[in-house]
Amino acid sequence: MAVPLFFSIVNIISQIENGREIADLSNLTIITIILSFLGEFVAIYTRLGSTVDIFDICCYFIGMIFYYFFINSSCKKLI
């Protein structure tokens, strides 16, 4: 659930700064790739005992897909 929360915070900041939200799948994918790289590969060098876990990377992308469908769903327009 960290990735949807992260995207929510990024969108709040983006709306304040630029007046638009990041809801495009290509932008979300690029940000998720960067997040997974930082969370899985850079963490090896910054935290003792860290390992790369492919399931964590899959969960990053599942969170991104969940966020994408939530943002672009018709339920959001009802709120």
Side-chain angles (χ1 to χ4, degrees):
M1 295 310 298
V3 173
L5 178 64
F6 175 78
F7 282 131
S8 298
I9 293 169
V10 167
N11 270 329
I12 290 169
I13 293 169
S14 179
Q15 287 177 351
I16 291 170
E17 295 288 322
N18 302 326
R20 64 185 181 98
E21 66 180 21
I22 301 169
D24 184 47
L25 188 59
S26 61
N27 289 336
L28 293 175
T29 303
I30 291 169
I31 293 170
T32 305
I33 290 169
I34 293 169
L35 278 177
S36 62
F37 177 77
L38 292 174
E40 295 300 316
F41 297 105
V42 174
I44 293 172
Y45 300 107
T46 59
R47 285 185 288 171
L48 190 62
S50 294
T51 60
V52 176
D53 187 5
I54 192 70
F55 295 114
D56 285 344
I57 295 172
C58 291
C59 287
Y60 290 141
F61 281 94
I62 290 170
M64 178 204 66
I65 292 168
F66 171 79
Y67 181 78
Y68 176 76
F69 283 120
F70 179 75
I71 288 298
N72 294 309
S73 70
S74 59
C75 295
K76 179 191 168 208
K77 292 166 181 56
L78 296 175
I79 295 176

